[in-house]
Amino acid sequence: MLEAIKQRRSIYPEFFNQVPVSEEEIQELLEAARYAPTHKLTEPWRFTVLMGDSKDRFQSFTVDSLMANEALSAKAPRMGNKIAKSSALLVIKYQRDLQERLPEWEELASTAMAVHNIWLYAGQLGLGGYWSTGKPLMNAAKDFVEMKEGEEVIGLFFLGKYDENLKERPRKAVSDFTTWMK
């Protein structure tokens, strides 16, 4: 398990090889998400899968939305290219417990754990991906996908297959972020 955790990394669309990710592989990733810790069993994570025609429509929608905003228009080609190079996108949402039985941060934490499960398992399946939290993309997704009462978009997970062996990034030593009290 430690090796799977060490191998988890962000793989960006520029490294994707255009070999399609199958619906079955995405279903497996979502199955992994299902086992994230959840407070009071609210299971707040929600995902909308964009692939094929829906991904292409989202790409056009996003590029058009960004081009319509002078402050964001320069980002449109880059965002459109990232979407185009991805085999699939997962719109990451969380559902706020409408009864507010627990703090919102716990629902966000549970959703982040579900995404982490996806990320870990993607690596085991030979898939790459990364979680983008850029506001322009999240706003486009919120306007593009169906949203239910209490749902919020908290990112997009870009997903694809890749060939390259990417270098491991250096990490701080445990002693750099840990204080022991005995």
Side-chain angles (χ1 to χ4, degrees):
M1 184 54 125
L2 184 56
E3 282 308 307
I5 292 169
K6 286 180 177 181
Q7 291 173 13
R8 195 237 29 101
R9 61 185 331 104
S10 294
I11 308 291
Y12 299 102
E14 66 193 71
F15 297 108
F16 295 164
N17 62 17
Q18 301 305 301
V19 174
V21 174
S22 71
E23 286 184 36
E24 292 78 17
E25 289 169 314
I26 294 172
Q27 188 65 42
E28 285 188 57
L29 297 176
L30 297 171
E31 183 69 16
R34 196 164 75 97
Y35 288 95
T38 176
H39 304 90
K40 296 192 184 288
L41 292 175
T42 60
E43 298 179 355
W45 47 83
R46 302 290 185 271
F47 301 99
T48 299
V49 179
L50 303 176
M51 56 191 313
D53 188 52
S54 68
K55 183 185 72 85
D56 295 343
R57 286 193 325 271
F58 178 66
Q59 177 189 8
S60 295
F61 179 84
T62 300
V63 168
D64 291 347
S65 297
L66 294 175
M67 291 302 290
N69 182 330
E70 188 176 332
L72 299 174
S73 63
K75 294 182 180 209
R78 188 169 53 94
M79 294 299 124
N81 193 41
K82 285 182 179 185
I83 296 167
K85 288 186 174 190
S86 300
S87 184
L89 300 174
L90 304 179
V91 178
I92 305 164
K93 302 182 283 185
Y94 80 99
Q95 171 68 58
R96 179 71 171 122
D97 177 26
L98 298 177
Q99 298 171 16
E100 296 187 11
R101 294 174 292 164
L102 57 154
E104 185 175 21
W105 75 265
E106 290 184 8
E107 293 170 320
L108 287 165
S110 288
T111 303
M113 291 296 293
V115 174
H116 193 252
N117 284 2
I118 287 171
W119 221 330
L120 283 173
Y121 196 54
Q124 297 306 293
L125 294 177
L127 305 175
Y130 86 103
W131 182 353
S132 173
T133 56
K135 283 280 188 199
L137 275 173
M138 290 193 321
N139 289 338
K142 187 174 183 177
D143 292 339
F144 186 79
V145 302
E146 180 183 331
M147 299 290 292
K148 295 181 180 166
E149 180 184 359
E151 282 186 343
E152 289 294 327
V153 172
I154 59 171
L156 283 88
F157 196 85
F158 290 75
L159 191 59
K161 294 187 178 181
Y162 66 102
D163 298 318
E164 298 184 37
N165 290 327
L166 302 174
K167 295 179 184 176
E168 185 174 336
R169 290 184 177 169
R171 297 288 183 146
K172 293 180 181 180
V174 171
S175 60
D176 289 345
F177 57 80
T178 305
T179 301
W180 293 82
M181 297 177 64
K182 297 182 180 181

